[in-house]
């Protein structure tokens, strides 16, 4: 069946329908990872977005047990070529069946290089995936321009708290759309991890007397999370060690008076270089974000830049003055990789008074 990707600038790509045949409007973003497509599909940070994979062949090792949540979160999936015959000893099915099962529409067979160039030159934009050959582009474009992702954190967070047992430090993990590997990275280091819904009050978290607090990744514009930001400020005011990733990093910055802004087309992939400003060492990182902290708005008495993106100079991490708090924009829990910055979890444990 034919499928069409219609962008808000009027560009139309024609390909083949994969997965669900329902129509969807979403923000169109691209990811440059060469592997890890299942982790991309199941990363809650993609809620409200349809993902273009720049690597040309997707699905060659099928669906494996490597999911970052219990379901996929992308609105749509856009690929050049979809492998119809996956081969892997852990393979449990095909992407086609996976997308169909979870009612996610997609399109294959389009020129993803041309699409990515448009998004790089004009910036991230909204689009529609449809199988309706009689679409009316004049009627569709106003709908595309009106679309916003809204507050998608409420959509992806857990509904109730749960605990991963451990004999080490007790960590409270705020779930703003947390990837599974954040809790697992702490748990395998011995930590007992209690995962809390996004709107849990700071008072409830602090009353549990955790050794440390983890603020997770998540989707959408951080400024939409006004109530959460107020609770994060209370956590900042406590003396509890805090480590934050991605959206959590942005929320902590907003809670302490800094500002964030949207990038032209974001950072999404497993090959982004970041420099540790303390050691000048460069790490290759996994990233998935469309917003960054504006370092010009930082109060130098509150925080200072700790990491910077080597490609475009944007902020990739902050160290908070006089506090046991550090935050990063990238993903040290990267799964399938790279694992270059996983040492940051060890640093967090040391900050809580533990050992590696």
């Amino acid at each position: 069946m034919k499928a069409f990707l219609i962008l808000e600038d009027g560009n139309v790509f024609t390909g083949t329908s994969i997965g669900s045949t329902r129509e969807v409007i979403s923000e169109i973003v691209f990811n440059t990872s060469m592997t890890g497509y299942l982790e991309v599909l199941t990363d809650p940070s993609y809620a409200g977005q349809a993902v273009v994979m720049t690597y040309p062949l997707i699905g060659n090792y099928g669906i494996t047990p490597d999911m970052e949540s219990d379901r996929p979160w992308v609105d749509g999936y856009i690929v050049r070529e979809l492998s119809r015959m996956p081969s892997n000893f852990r393979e449990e099915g095909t992407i086609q069946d996976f997308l169909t099962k979870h009612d996610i529409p997609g399109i294959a067979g389009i020129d993803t290089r041309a699409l990515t160039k448009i998004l790089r030159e004009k910036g991230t934009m909204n689009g529609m995936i449809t199988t309706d050959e009689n679409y009316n582009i004049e009627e569709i474009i106003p709908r595309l321009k009106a679309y916003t992702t809204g507050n998608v954190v409420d959509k992806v967070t857990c509904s109730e708290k749960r605990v991963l047992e451990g004999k080490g430090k007790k960590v409270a993990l705020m779930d703003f759309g947390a990837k599974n590997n954040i809790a697992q990275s702490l748990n395998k280091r011995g930590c007992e991890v209690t995962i809390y819904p996004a709107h849990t009050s700071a008072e409830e978290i602090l009353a549990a007397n955790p050794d440390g607090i983890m603020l997770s990744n998540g989707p959408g514009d951080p400024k939409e999370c006004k109530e959460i930001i107020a609770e994060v400020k209370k956590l900042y005011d406590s003396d509890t060690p805090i480590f934050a990733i991605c959206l959590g990093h942005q929320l902590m910055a907003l809670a302490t008076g800094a500002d964030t802004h949207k990038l032209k087309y974001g950072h999404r992939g497993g090959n982004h270089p970041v420099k540790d400003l303390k050691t000048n060492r460069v790490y290759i990182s996994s990233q998935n974000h469309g917003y960054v902290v504006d370092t010009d708005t930082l109060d130098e008495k509150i925080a200072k830049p700790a990491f910077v993106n080597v490609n475009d100079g944007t902020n990739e991490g902050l160290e908070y003055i006089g506090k046991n708090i550090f935050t990063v924009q990238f993903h040290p829990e990267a799964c399938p990789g790279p694992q270059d910055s996983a040492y940051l979890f060890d640093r967090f444990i040391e900050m809580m008074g533990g050992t590696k």
Side-chain angles (χ1 to χ4, degrees), residues 91-165:
E91 179 253 320
E92 300 174 347
T94 67
I95 284 190
Q96 172 77 325
D97 291 341
F98 185 75
L99 295 175
T100 302
K101 175 185 176 182
H102 293 282
D103 197 29
I104 295 173
I107 182 170
I110 71 166
D111 188 343
T112 50
R113 290 182 302 176
L115 173 56
T116 301
K117 284 182 178 180
I118 290 171
L119 297 176
R120 282 179 59 92
E121 291 167 6
K122 297 185 177 181
T124 296
M125 64 181 77
N126 297 331
M128 171 189 284
I129 298 173
T130 181
T131 57
D132 181 5
E133 296 191 34
N134 298 313
Y135 63 82
N136 183 337
I137 197 165
E138 286 77 17
E139 182 269 331
I140 289 172
I141 288 179
R143 292 171 57 197
L144 298 181
K145 292 183 176 180
Y147 172 82
T148 61
T149 58
N151 187 355
V152 276
V153 168
D154 290 353
K155 178 181 177 181
V156 301
T157 189
C158 59
S159 57
E160 57 186 15
K161 76 175 182 180
R162 59 188 178 92
V163 179
L164 295 180
E165 298 293 341

Side-chain angles (χ1 to χ4, degrees), residues 10 45 47 59 108 197 209 217 229 234 273 287:
S45 291
N209 197 30
N217 64 293
I229 291 168
K234 297 175 188 176
Q287 301 200 10

Side-chain angles (χ1 to χ4, degrees), residues 24-333:
V24 66
I25 292 176
S26 188
E27 184 178 56
I28 311 298
V29 300
F30 64 88
N31 184 295
T32 58
S33 296
M34 296 174 69
T35 62
Y37 52 78
L38 185 60
E39 289 89 336
V40 170
L41 285 166
T42 57
D43 182 348
S45 291
Y46 282 114
Q49 297 174 328
V51 181
V52 183
M53 300 302 293
T54 63
Y55 190 70
L57 177 64
I58 298 296
N60 56 311
Y61 54 89
I63 298 300
T64 57
D66 306 310
M67 293 174 62
E68 283 299 310
S69 58
D70 59 3
R71 52 156 287 188
W73 290 102
V74 299
D75 282 352
Y77 205 50
I78 303 160
V79 301
R80 176 67 183 93
E81 180 181 350
L82 187 69
S83 174
R84 300 288 177 173
M85 297 181 65
S87 177
N88 186 278
F89 73 100
R90 300 164 71 236
E91 179 253 320
E92 300 174 347
T94 67
I95 284 190
Q96 172 77 325
D97 291 341
F98 185 75
L99 295 175
T100 302
K101 175 185 176 182
H102 293 282
D103 197 29
I104 295 173
I107 182 170
I110 71 166
D111 188 343
T112 50
R113 290 182 302 176
L115 173 56
T116 301
K117 284 182 178 180
I118 290 171
L119 297 176
R120 282 179 59 92
E121 291 167 6
K122 297 185 177 181
T124 296
M125 64 181 77
N126 297 331
M128 171 189 284
I129 298 173
T130 181
T131 57
D132 181 5
E133 296 191 34
N134 298 313
Y135 63 82
N136 183 337
I137 197 165
E138 286 77 17
E139 182 269 331
I140 289 172
I141 288 179
R143 292 171 57 197
L144 298 181
K145 292 183 176 180
Y147 172 82
T148 61
T149 58
N151 187 355
V152 276
V153 168
D154 290 353
K155 178 181 177 181
V156 301
T157 189
C158 59
S159 57
E160 57 186 15
K161 76 175 182 180
R162 59 188 178 92
V163 179
L164 295 180
E165 298 293 341
K167 296 182 180 180
K169 296 298 181 180
K170 295 182 179 180
V171 177
L173 170 57
M174 294 296 296
D175 178 13
F176 306 134
K179 294 168 64 181
N180 285 341
N181 206 36
I182 293 178
Q184 290 166 1
S185 294
L186 292 166
N187 195 230
K188 74 180 183 182
R189 288 168 168 81
C191 295
E192 178 180 290
V193 184
T194 304
I195 303 167
Y196 291 89
H199 288 281
T200 305
S201 70
E203 288 80 4
E204 179 180 343
I205 293 167
L206 295 172
N209 197 30
D211 295 303
I213 299 169
M214 184 94 221
L215 307 182
S216 84
N217 64 293
D221 183 346
K223 292 179 184 177
E224 294 279 350
C225 304
K226 292 182 175 60
E227 294 177 1
I228 297 173
I229 291 168
E231 299 305 311
V232 170
K233 179 60 166 65
K234 297 175 188 176
L235 298 177
Y236 168 85
D237 288 335
S238 75
D239 290 325
T240 308
I242 298 174
F243 179 24
I245 292 172
C246 200
L247 179 64
H249 154 79
Q250 297 163 7
L251 295 177
M252 180 60 75
L254 289 168
T256 53
D259 197 7
T260 58
H261 66 265
K262 190 172 185 177
L263 292 168
K264 185 177 180 181
Y265 48 81
H267 300 155
R268 298 174 182 90
N271 54 359
H272 292 263
V274 296
K275 179 189 282 190
D276 184 331
L277 295 177
K278 186 174 289 185
T279 64
N280 282 329
R281 181 172 176 178
V282 173
Y283 300 90
I284 302 301
S285 69
S286 175
Q287 301 200 10
N288 173 17
H289 59 99
Y291 295 83
V292 291
V293 174
D294 186 346
T295 53
D296 290 338
T297 64
L298 286 177
D299 183 339
E300 61 182 15
K301 296 179 182 178
I302 292 178
K304 64 180 180 180
F307 288 88
V308 66
N309 188 293
V310 176
N311 288 335
D312 63 10
T314 54
N315 179 255
E316 292 283 358
L318 295 172
E319 183 177 333
Y320 284 79
I321 310 300
K323 293 280 187 176
N324 281 327
I325 300 174
F326 71 99
T327 68
V328 294
Q329 182 63 75
F330 51 95
H331 288 268
E333 85 295 346

